[in-house]
RNA sequence: GCGAGAGUGGCGGAACUGGUAGACGCGCUGGACUUAGGAUCCAGUGGGGCAACCCGUGGGGGUUCGAGUCCCCCCUUUCGCACCA
């Protein structure tokens, strides 16, 4: 090695061969269990979690590689900081995606999924992640979904799981339930038939009971702000009032007049409520409808039901509706107002009924105009009064004052809200309420590929939970898992499975044939990782106390709402039941960005997807990892440009060469060492901020210093850099570390310390401005005084020539600049 | 429509609390070494001008000694949510 001449880097005896090195270290990590921490006796446990992937048939997506690498870097860095890091992985392999793909290629998911997983595992290993492969899990494993079913039962016992009828998208041709994504412009994605709504009995979780807590915790948990905002919007808390309207006239019926309760956020506008609108599905519709209107109403309801759930909610379409023939009394004005039904009112929000205030709500305004209903102004803005005509709904509520509202005239909107609610409360006609946009979580899927919901129906005993000792309820192998005419899950066709004795009375009962939502599988998987070998409980209490909550969770923002909200909910429930000591699952969550390619989104149809295998083959995993992280800020993503990767590869080549050539004799260069310490500081600060791109830039900058003017670096200048690079390019780091003579893994070496004293420069270039314009810089000691700096600046002709007369003012920012204002 | 984010060289992107705009990399230009190079190494590289200098962070105003960064208005764009009463 000593014989190599300075100029013969390319010919040094051991060229950088990523393929060989990466194979070697992946095997070594496996044999020596380098990445399998002792879960029972960790010194400083750190649970580093990435969102587990859905093992698609296409194989690992470059976006997965990006996300997992970013996650891995954080974990490896924590390990270098002295933590015992647990970085598990698993597969989210149940669900409609897998099932649809299986249907498409005509292979049974029970054959297909293990194949996909095998391929994913192979690809993931090649990326060189610090994953503890001994703790891999799959949601499709009965040993796993046994506990998914157990969680369902816990919610059932607590009264948090219940059954009700709910609308689903139904394809009359395929005879199956469709998810919203499978409905394209009102038609079935597969056969093109118009989709309808159907009402099926389904299982729900009462997540709305937790709405306020789920919202409140967002104030303190350390999560990406974008994610927290998305959750706040999704939970959609709104304060308002419920107001009761009495139905008038002969439709009143025997038990007194029916009452309609509406939810509104604008109780202040009640004097302007000129009609009511009920959702077509509202239960009171048949009761109140007048005989003369019955035919029209029934026809309208039938038409609404024909629509699929997506089309129903299209905003732009023309308002439609039908008069019921009934009237209700406005409790504020005492006037009788007509009751209509219209599909713009949704049964699932609020009470399924609204008081329409066309003067101050755009939708109501459109509706009133179309059907000739009265429009009354009850709020006047600046320069308006009670008589100013409304050409459009006036929805401004900052400047408005009440008009045409009896005793409340002249109040501001905010004042009127509380005063009117109080007034209605006193008269028993309303009350202040908080309403949430969040709905209960529908967990039933009328499908095959999921964990069966552990319920048995008995004609004598009703709904019976499967006893815990009988879990798991195994998903049976069904040759033809296609949905059929029956309209229920294919599981209903498997007689021996379907017919089962009632656990209570022993008579023949029937199993629930729905399977549960994939989001339930993924709502608790992080709890399972530390306890994968435990088979008598879902998670071991001691392990759980040691490792949880998760220290750092990284994943995509596409899961900002559903997955992350459901996971928080399940964690809170298990906490309330005493199974967990914490109520929030993830100490810290960060959302990663998206990778695009050459400025465009990657997609199969465009044929511009990146195959990780090919790129690893060509460049090596270390180069690919580092390049992906170099593209841009991890939390924002980046643009994968094929041409750029050579720069990163060159950087690793130069690192390799530097380590090969490094001399041990003599002393390292003081200037280079200062740069080294600055680099250690920068990289150590950038990684925790997920600013991986700038950390890499800092190392590259140091490399330029290290090799400037074709100098031969000293070992003491190179060796710490190997550790800095290790989280990004773990294989080359291990190899060079070993070649430097170390026996232990570089990840057990510890992060190098920097010496603050060494970082400080003695002299700096102080920027000098004259009247705010940069005119030059002067070389001065770091701790220069203002006067000395000014003298130095005025001593420089290039600067002094801009200073005319005596300076009026001098601004001096130590270590930064001097501004002379003339 | 509502909510969140982003507009900086030829390109991807730097710039901590307002303080040298363009770090780092790609590309490009020149040079060195070479039989050769699409390898490697070194140097240069925002625009204009011979130069002194001038102009530059989507557009327009403003605050400040000083603005990519703060404030107001507008444009473009990405991503969520979407008749939520």
């Amino acid at each position: 090695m000593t014989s190599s001449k300075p100029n013969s880097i390319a010919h040094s005896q051991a060229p950088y061969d990523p393929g060989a090195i990466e194979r070697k270290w992946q095997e070594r990590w496996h044999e020596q269990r380098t990445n399998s921490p002792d879960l029972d006796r960790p010194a400083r446990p750190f649970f580093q979690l990435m969102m587990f992937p859905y093992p698609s048939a296409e194989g690992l997506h470059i976006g997965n590689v990006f996300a997992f690498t970013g996650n891995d870097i954080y974990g490896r860095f924590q390990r270098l900081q002295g933590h015992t890091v647990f970085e598990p992985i698993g597969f989210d392999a149940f669900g409609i995606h897998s099932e649809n793909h299986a249907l498409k290629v005509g292979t049974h998911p029970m054959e297909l999924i293990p194949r996909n997983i095998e391929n994913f595992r192979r690809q993931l290993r090649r990326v060189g992640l610090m994953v503890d492969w001994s703790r891999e899990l799959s949601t499709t494993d009965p040993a796993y979904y046994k506990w998914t079913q157990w969680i369902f039962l816990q919610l059932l016992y607590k009264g948090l799981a219940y059954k009700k009828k709910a609308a689903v998208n139904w394809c009359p041709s395929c005879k199956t339930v469709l998810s919203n994504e499978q409905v394209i412009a009102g038609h079935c994605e597969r056969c093109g038939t118009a989709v309808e709504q159907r009402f099926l009995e389904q299982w729900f979780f009462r997540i709305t009971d937790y709405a306020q807590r789920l919202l409140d915790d967002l104030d303190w948990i350390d999560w990406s702000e974008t994610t927290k905002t998305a959750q706040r919007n999704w939970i959609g808390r709104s304060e308002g009032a419920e107001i009761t309207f009495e139905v008038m006239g002969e439709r009143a019926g025997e038990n007194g007049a029916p009452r309609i309760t509406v939810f509104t956020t604008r109780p202040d506008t009640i004097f302007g409520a000129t009609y009511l609108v009920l959702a077509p599905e509202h239960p009171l519709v048949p009761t109140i409808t007048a005989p003369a209107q019955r035919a029209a109403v029934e026809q309208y309801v039938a038409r609404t039901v024909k629509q699929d759930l997506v089309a129903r909610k299209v905003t732009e379409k023309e308002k439609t509706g039908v008069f019921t023939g009934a009237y209700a009394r406005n409790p504020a004005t005492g006037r009788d107002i007509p009751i209509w039904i219209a599909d713009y009112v949704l049964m699932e929000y609020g009470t399924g009924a609204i008081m329409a205030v066309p003067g101050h709500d755009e939708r109501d305004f459109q509706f009133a105009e179309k059907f000739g209903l009265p429009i009354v102004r009850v709020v006047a803005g600046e320069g308006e009064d009670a008589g100013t005509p409304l050409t459009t709904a006036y929805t401004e509520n900052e400047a408005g004052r009440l008009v045409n509202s009896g005793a409340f005239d002249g109040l501001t909107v905010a004042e009127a809200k509380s005063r009117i609610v109080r007034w209605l409360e006193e008269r028993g006609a309303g009350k202040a309420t908080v309403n949430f946009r969040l709905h209960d979580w529908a967990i039933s899927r009328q499908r095959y590929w999921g964990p069966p919901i552990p319920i048995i129906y008995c004609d004598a005993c009703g709904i019976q939970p499967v006893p815990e000792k009988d879990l798991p309820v195994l998903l049976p192998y069904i040759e033809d898992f296609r949905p059929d005419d029956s309209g229920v899950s294919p599981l209903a066709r498997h007689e021996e499975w379907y017919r089962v004795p009632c656990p209570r009375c022993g008579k023949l009962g029937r199993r629930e044939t729905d399977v549960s939502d994939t989001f339930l599988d993924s709502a608790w998987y992080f709890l399972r990782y530390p306890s994968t070998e435990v088979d008598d409980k879902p998670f071991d209490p001691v392990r759980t106390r040691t490792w949880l909550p998760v220290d750092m969770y990284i994943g995509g923002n596409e899961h900002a709402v559903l997955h992350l909200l459901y996971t928080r909910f399940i964690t809170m429930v298990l906490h309330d039941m005493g199974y967990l000591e914490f109520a929030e699952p993830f100490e810290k969550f960060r959302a990663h960005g998206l990778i695009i390619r050459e400025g465009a989104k990657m997609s199969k149809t465009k044929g511009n997807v990146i195959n990780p295998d090919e790129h690893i083959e060509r460049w090596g995993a270390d180069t690919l990892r580092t390049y992906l992280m170099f593209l841009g800020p991890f939390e924002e993503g980046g643009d994968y440009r094929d041409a750029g990767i050579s720069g990163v590869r060159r950087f690793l080549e130069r690192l390799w060469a530097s380590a090969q050539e490094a001399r041990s004799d003599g002393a390292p260069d003081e200037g280079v060492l200062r740069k080294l310490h600055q680099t250690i500081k920068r990289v150590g600060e950038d990684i925790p901020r997920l600013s991986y791109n700038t950390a890499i830039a800092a190392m590259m900058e140091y490399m330029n210093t290290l090799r400037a003017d074709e100098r031969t670096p000293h070992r003491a200048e190179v060796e710490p850099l190997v550790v800095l690079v290790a989280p990004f390019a773990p294989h080359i780091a291990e190899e060079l570390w070993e070649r430097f003579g170390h026996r232990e893994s570089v990840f057990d070496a510890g992060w190098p310390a920097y010496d603050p004293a060494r970082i400080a420069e003695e002299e700096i270039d102080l920027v000098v401005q004259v009247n705010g314009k940069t005119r030059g810089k002067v070389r001065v000691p770091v701790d220069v005084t203002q006067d000395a700096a000014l003298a130095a600046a005025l001593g420089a002709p290039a600067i002094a020539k801009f200073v005319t007369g005596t300076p009026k003012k001098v601004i001096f920012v130590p270590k930064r600049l001097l501004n002379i204002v003339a």
Side-chain angles (χ1 to χ4, degrees), chain A residues 588-817:
Chain A
K588 204 177 171 97
F589 169 77
R590 290 294 178 273
H592 66 249
L594 256 41
I595 293 291
I596 57 171
R597 189 183 199 184
E598 312 285 343
K601 230 187 220 160
M602 276 179 277
S603 73
K604 252 194 290 178
T605 43
K606 276 190 216 139
N608 64 344
V609 290
I610 297 169
N611 178 340
D613 282 328
E614 280 170 25
H615 287 246
I616 288 175
E617 208 64 60
R618 169 125 192 247
W619 298 100
D622 282 339
T623 297
L624 181 64
R625 287 170 56 112
T626 310
Y627 183 51
L628 284 169
M629 296 303 108
F630 186 60
L631 293 176
F634 184 64
E635 288 172 272
E636 282 163 42
D639 187 358
Y640 194 104
R641 306 227 158 217
D642 292 9
I645 195 168
S646 61
V648 169
R649 172 64 185 259
R650 196 169 299 133
F651 167 69
L652 294 181
E653 296 268 10
R654 300 215 296 166
L655 175 67
W656 181 266
S658 302
Q660 299 285 295
E661 293 161 18
R663 61 191 165 82
S664 302
D665 53 314
D669 181 89
E670 278 306 311
V672 173
L673 283 186
R674 179 184 302 133
K675 187 80 183 169
L676 171 66
H677 283 250
Q678 289 169 344
T679 306
I680 294 170
K681 180 170 191 284
R682 278 173 69 184
V683 175
E685 285 169 355
D686 284 351
I687 293 178
R689 291 173 28 219
L690 306 183
S691 190
Y692 300 146
N693 56 332
T694 54
I696 295 164
M699 291 188 285
M700 287 173 162
E701 223 178 301
Y702 178 60
M703 179 63 71
N704 290 341
T705 305
L706 198 62
R707 301 188 64 84
D709 301 318
E710 304 186 32
R711 67 187 290 278
T712 303
H714 190 277
R715 176 174 168 161
E717 298 163 357
V718 183
E719 209 168 337
L721 179 61
V722 170
V723 185
L724 301 191
V725 166
F728 299 87
H731 312 87
I732 191 175
E734 289 276 35
E735 180 66 23
L736 293 176
W737 194 246
E738 187 182 56
R739 285 174 184 240
F740 273 130
H742 299 283
R743 309 285 288 276
E744 87 284 14
S745 163
V746 66
F747 295 99
D748 294 322
W751 191 254
Y754 66 86
D755 177 358
R758 279 201 114 120
I759 289 176
E761 308 269 354
E762 282 148 29
E763 285 198 321
I764 52 155
D765 289 320
L766 187 72
V767 174
V768 182
Q769 298 185 335
V770 179
N771 292 327
K773 283 194 174 196
T774 304
R775 294 301 182 182
K777 44 194 178 185
V778 287
R779 189 94 188 140
V780 292
V782 262
D783 54 352
V784 69
T785 62
Q786 176 174 328
D787 291 344
L790 184 61
L794 294 176
I799 295 164
K801 72 178 178 184
F802 292 100
V803 184
T804 50
T806 30
K808 271 192 240 145
K809 191 173 167 189
V810 173
I811 285 129
F812 177 63
V813 183
K815 296 181 195 175
R816 293 237 184 243
L817 60 51

Side-chain angles (χ1 to χ4, degrees), chain A residues 199-218:
Chain A
F199 289 85
L200 299 178
E201 284 271 319
Q202 314 211 53
W203 285 99
F204 284 83
F205 283 165
R206 260 183 237 287
I207 190 173
T208 49
D209 282 7
Y210 284 73
Q212 192 63 52
R213 274 171 77 187
L214 288 166
L215 185 65
D216 289 344
D217 280 2
L218 292 174

Side-chain angles (χ1 to χ4, degrees), chain A residues 48-59:
Chain A
Q48 175 77 36
L49 183 67
M50 59 183 121
M51 284 186 185
F52 65 166
Y54 148 66
S56 69
E58 287 81 39

Side-chain angles (χ1 to χ4, degrees), chain A residues 396-432:
Chain A
E396 187 58 50
N397 53 19
E398 285 301 309
R401 297 258 167 194
L402 260 64
V403 293
N404 296 323
S405 298
F408 301 97
D409 280 359
L411 295 180
T412 65
V413 166
E415 285 163 353
K417 273 186 184 171
S418 55
R419 293 270 294 271
I420 289 181
V421 169
R422 211 180 316 141
W423 180 66
L424 289 169
E425 273 171 0
E426 281 160 13
R427 310 177 61 208
K431 59 168 200 258

Side-chain angles (χ1 to χ4, degrees), chain A residues 60-334:
Chain A
L60 199 61
H61 187 266
I62 197 78
N64 297 137
V65 181
F66 173 77
F68 295 167
T69 301
N71 182 77
D72 192 50
I73 288 166
Y74 201 91
R76 288 185 182 275
F77 178 72
Q78 293 303 329
R79 175 154 171 181
L80 282 162
Q81 297 287 318
H83 288 105
T84 308
V85 178
F86 178 43
E87 191 180 309
I89 196 165
F91 299 99
D92 189 16
F94 263 140
I96 206 156
H97 287 293
S98 305
E99 186 176 324
N100 284 348
H101 187 257
L103 284 167
K104 200 170 129 197
V105 300
T107 311
H108 197 278
M110 282 187 183
E111 289 162 38
L112 199 61
I113 293 302
R115 268 186 355 224
N116 291 352
I117 289 179
E118 182 50 42
N119 189 38
F120 257 67
R121 197 183 287 131
R122 177 190 64 77
Q123 289 187 302
L124 282 165
R125 281 183 191 270
R126 293 191 79 183
V127 177
L129 305 171
M130 196 174 71
V131 159
D132 180 355
W133 287 100
S134 65
R135 304 228 155 242
E136 181 193 319
L137 65 78
S138 167
T139 55
T140 56
D141 183 349
Y144 180 86
Y145 70 68
K146 170 181 179 179
W147 301 112
T148 307
Q149 293 170 337
W150 178 87
I151 284 173
F152 174 90
L153 292 179
Q154 304 313 302
L155 273 91
L156 185 76
Y157 304 153
K158 257 215 126 189
L160 291 169
Y162 67 99
K163 261 196 126 172
K164 73 169 183 198
K165 278 204 165 189
V168 291
N169 294 302
W170 177 259
C171 173
S173 163
C174 300
K175 311 275 184 201
T176 186
V177 174
L178 303 176
S179 67
N180 283 349
E181 296 75 53
Q182 292 177 293
V183 180
I184 312 291
H187 295 265
C188 173
E189 152 187 85
R190 225 165 327 141
C191 68
T193 313
V195 170
E196 305 176 351
Q197 281 183 60
R198 256 208 186 183
F199 289 85
L200 299 178
E201 284 271 319
Q202 314 211 53
W203 285 99
F204 284 83
F205 283 165
R206 260 183 237 287
I207 190 173
T208 49
D209 282 7
Y210 284 73
Q212 192 63 52
R213 274 171 77 187
L214 288 166
L215 185 65
D216 289 344
D217 280 2
L218 292 174
D219 292 341
W220 61 266
I221 56 178
D222 179 11
W223 284 26
S224 295
E225 274 310 314
T226 51
T227 311
K228 295 210 280 187
T229 308
Q231 293 214 345
R232 282 193 189 100
N233 292 343
W234 189 261
I235 293 169
R237 181 193 150 98
S238 59
E239 291 183 13
E242 282 187 356
I243 301 176
T244 308
F245 289 71
E246 226 166 277
V247 179
M248 305 312 290
E250 65 209 62
R251 305 311 308 159
E254 297 111 49
N255 332 334
R259 292 155 175 273
I260 293 172
T261 302
V262 304
F263 174 75
T264 180
T265 55
R266 297 293 306 275
D268 54 298
T269 62
I270 185 157
F271 285 85
T274 53
Y275 60 102
L276 296 186
V277 187
L278 307 189
E281 307 90 331
H282 196 286
L284 281 175
V285 170
T287 317
I288 62 165
T289 301
Q293 292 299 104
R294 190 160 297 276
V297 165
E298 280 170 4
Q299 199 191 346
Y300 185 78
V301 172
R303 212 186 73 189
T304 308
V305 169
K306 274 256 174 227
Q307 279 178 343
D308 69 277
L309 297 169
V310 182
R312 165 81 181 267
K313 296 188 185 177
V314 169
T315 325
E316 297 86 47
K317 75 175 183 207
E318 178 99 353
K319 292 273 177 294
T320 59
V322 175
F323 178 43
T324 60
Y327 290 84
R329 179 153 297 164
N330 180 324
T333 62

